[in-house]
Amino acid sequence: MNAVERRQRPQSVDVLIVDDEEDIRELLELSLMRLGLACDAVGTVADAIARLEARRYRLCLTDMRLPDGDGLGLVEHIQAHCPGLPVAVITAFGSIETAIRALKLGAFDFVTKPVELKALRELVTHALRLGATGDKAAGTTPERALIGHSPAFMQLRAQAEKLARNQAPVFIHGESGTGKEVIARFIHSLGTRTAGPFVPVNCGAISPELMESEFFGHRKGSFTGAASDKQGLFQAASGGTLFLDEIGELPLAMQVKLLRAIQERAVRPVGAHAEEPVDVRLLSASHQDLGRLVAEGRFRQDLFFRINVITLRMPPLRERREDIPALAEHILARLAAREGGAPRRLSAAALHALQGYAFPGNVRELENLLERACAMCEGDEIDAADIELYPDQTASGWLTDSAAGPFGFQVPGDFGDHGGGGEPGQEPAADDAERLRIIRALEQTRWNRSAAARNLGMTLRQLRYRLQKWGME
């Protein structure tokens, strides 16, 4: 194309289609034209790169197999030279592994051949919405939701902002209380689904007998007590994001059904005869090591690979101590707004004590400590004496990651240590530390187990299991 021809043609077109099959190109063009979109269609990687240099596009659809290369190479080229352009890949049925590789390289989403028009319309709608909503969302709610400027936190934020630009399933891994749901909401608010619902689900809090009905809904009369039709969580999140917290708690039988729902993008309500299509982005989280659960046979490997396309690690609070002053100020302001009056201040000694503490319960524990300190403090300033820290859990008393305790945090070697010559049957120091932490949480809530479990960052079922193990149920 010469310079005169380039000047005569419009400099902005909606969609670039890259596929070596002419009938596929025509089908896609016709489908997109019905949506009012202008298209360019080419059959090779070289032609696609030439068009990208000559014009601006809002979306690129590319086949994975092309005569002079593949879609993965084009995805990489677009990420390097057109980083704001969403690119979706078209892959053959059964080639999900290749599509996942494309998502990891930065692709927005994928569709399988034969291309279903409904799925194509949903993909295009979300992709074109990306540029229109991303900048607007970035300057509002997420800025207030994420507090911190430490290197570990800024790296996390940058990763989350990148993940918000695609539809890939994300697995968020981190200790209890690190803010996994906060970062999931951040990803949702910056993405193309920000106008849709964000539906959080604690998988460990749903009775196994009701899980299928809760996730997929049910029809009237499908079982005793089903007095009317009920919408499931997947349907409630349609057009938005479904966040499955503590996904490692799902029973194996439910894992099979969840895998099918993710693969088919459809669910079948209990008592229904046909599946219903759903359009959700899936985010999941757990404080457990899912790889270990797979090795132990407690989590399906195929589901693990499907939800773990991209892993986002939440740094514990002890790795971002620089953020404690800003977090504390934010929490104290929120407590003051709730109770009325001016926010309390932290003395230098109190702030020093907090920054020297290991925070096994992370940000959630910081919130609980400050709320208790506000209740006990008589003046406007919180001093170190007003903050009740757990014994021997200062930064200097903690071991390396190889000594991680049952919650994923490190247990001090001298805490409750009985020595190598202890009596047979004595519990290890890690178990003592966990039991003391749970007892104190129960005492603080007057043995309200639901409230204690919530403060500890575990499910009620997990708390009951530990109490039964120690003969305290």
Side-chain angles (χ1 to χ4, degrees):
M1 183 189 306
N2 58 43
V4 174
E5 292 174 327
R6 186 176 301 174
R7 284 196 299 271
Q8 290 175 342
R9 301 188 67 179
Q11 294 301 299
S12 179
V13 179
D14 292 313
V15 184
L16 174 62
I17 300 168
V18 189
D19 198 300
D20 61 335
E21 297 183 47
E22 186 175 353
D23 55 343
I24 296 293
R25 292 201 301 269
E26 291 180 357
L27 173 64
L28 293 174
E29 278 190 278
L30 287 172
S31 301
L32 296 176
M33 285 172 61
R34 290 172 184 167
L35 296 176
L37 301 174
C39 304
D40 278 347
V42 298
T44 65
V45 173
D47 287 342
I49 292 175
R51 295 295 179 97
L52 289 167
E53 291 174 351
R55 294 184 169 187
R56 290 179 287 111
Y57 295 93
R58 299 169 65 193
L59 170 65
C60 176
L61 287 171
T62 178
D63 192 15
M64 291 300 294
R65 294 186 178 183
L66 298 164
D68 58 341
D70 59 27
L72 294 179
L74 187 57
V75 171
E76 290 183 296
H77 176 86
I78 289 174
Q79 290 299 304
H81 299 90
C82 311
L85 174 63
V87 53
V89 297
I90 306 168
T91 183
F93 180 77
S95 301
I96 301 300
E97 294 79 8
T98 306
I100 288 175
R101 287 172 58 201
L103 292 173
K104 289 182 176 179
L105 288 173
F108 171 77
D109 205 349
F110 68 92
V111 290
T112 57
K113 293 182 179 180
V115 178
E116 295 184 3
L117 298 185
K118 185 177 186 299
L120 177 64
R121 284 195 296 269
E122 290 175 353
L123 182 151
V124 171
T125 300
H126 289 305
L128 297 183
R129 198 182 295 158
L130 182 62
T133 61
D135 294 338
K136 180 180 177 182
T140 55
T141 304
E143 292 289 342
R144 295 196 300 269
L146 298 186
I147 309 295
H149 298 282
S150 64
F153 185 79
M154 295 307 292
Q155 180 182 9
L156 170 70
R157 185 190 183 97
Q159 290 173 332
E161 289 174 347
K162 182 177 180 181
L163 293 176
R165 295 188 59 83
N166 65 39
Q167 299 292 293
V170 178
F171 174 63
I172 304 169
H173 182 253
E175 298 173 9
S176 295
T178 49
K180 296 185 285 294
E181 182 175 336
V182 172
I183 205 69
R185 288 184 182 274
F186 179 79
I187 292 172
H188 168 77
S189 65
L190 281 185
T192 63
R193 297 173 177 270
T194 183
F198 177 88
V199 180
V201 184
N202 188 331
C203 297
I206 304 176
S207 168
E209 295 78 13
L210 299 176
M211 270 191 178
E212 187 173 1
S213 171
E214 289 293 318
F215 275 95
F216 308 139
H218 63 248
R219 292 287 179 261
K220 179 180 178 180
S222 56
F223 55 86
T224 302
S228 61
D229 289 354
K230 179 186 175 182
Q231 187 183 57
L233 294 166
F234 268 86
Q235 293 96 326
S238 190
T241 302
L242 180 62
F243 174 57
L244 302 181
D245 197 8
E246 295 305 338
I247 194 171
E249 298 291 325
L250 285 177
L252 286 170
M254 189 61 205
Q255 291 177 28
V256 177
K257 296 171 182 176
L258 177 61
L259 176 63
R260 176 170 177 81
I262 297 171
Q263 288 176 332
E264 303 299 326
R265 299 187 182 186
V267 299
R268 187 172 71 175
V270 177
H273 299 292
E275 291 185 331
E276 300 176 358
V278 290
D279 172 31
V280 301
R281 183 181 188 182
L282 187 70
L283 304 179
S284 57
S286 179
H287 73 282
Q288 301 184 78
D289 182 352
L290 290 191
R292 179 174 57 81
L293 296 185
V294 170
E296 294 173 355
R298 296 162 55 195
F299 201 86
R300 290 183 62 93
Q301 187 177 52
D302 45 7
L303 178 59
F304 173 70
F305 288 140
R306 181 53 60 90
I307 66 170
N308 195 33
V309 172
I310 299 173
T311 300
L312 194 62
R313 178 184 176 270
M314 296 294 297
L317 189 54
R318 62 183 173 275
E319 291 182 9
R320 41 182 294 224
R321 299 183 190 280
E322 307 97 307
D323 296 334
I324 290 177
L327 284 167
E329 182 180 358
H330 174 76
I331 293 167
L332 291 173
R334 191 176 62 199
L335 291 172
R338 188 182 72 187
E339 303 296 336
R344 287 185 167 88
R345 304 181 307 274
L346 287 173
S347 70
L351 186 58
H352 179 74
L354 289 175
Q355 289 186 298
Y357 182 62
F359 281 105
N362 294 292
V363 179
R364 185 182 293 119
E365 184 178 6
L366 175 62
E367 292 177 341
N368 294 336
L369 286 174
L370 292 177
E371 185 171 7
R372 185 166 61 245
C374 286
M376 301 299 293
C377 176
E378 296 181 358
D380 294 333
E381 186 176 75
I382 298 173
D383 201 3
D386 300 315
I387 300 175
E388 185 180 352
L389 302 177
Y390 292 113
D392 294 330
Q393 293 185 358
T394 56
S396 60
W398 287 68
L399 302 177
T400 60
D401 287 339
S402 61
F407 292 106
F409 58 83
Q410 296 116 350
V411 179
D414 61 347
F415 186 88
D417 190 3
H418 301 294
E423 295 297 327
Q426 267 185 325
E427 295 173 311
D431 209 32
D432 283 347
E434 181 184 12
R435 181 161 57 178
L436 177 60
R437 182 167 176 253
I438 287 176
I439 290 173
R440 296 189 69 163
L442 287 167
E443 289 174 347
Q444 290 161 9
T445 60
R446 298 183 180 180
W447 285 80
N448 182 325
R449 296 177 186 178
S450 298
R454 186 165 55 252
N455 292 341
L456 289 164
M458 63 174 63
T459 66
L460 182 60
R461 189 192 312 169
Q462 290 171 327
L463 177 58
R464 284 175 172 168
Y465 169 79
R466 284 162 174 78
L467 293 177
Q468 289 174 352
K469 181 176 71 171
W470 297 323
M472 298 169 61
E473 178 67 4

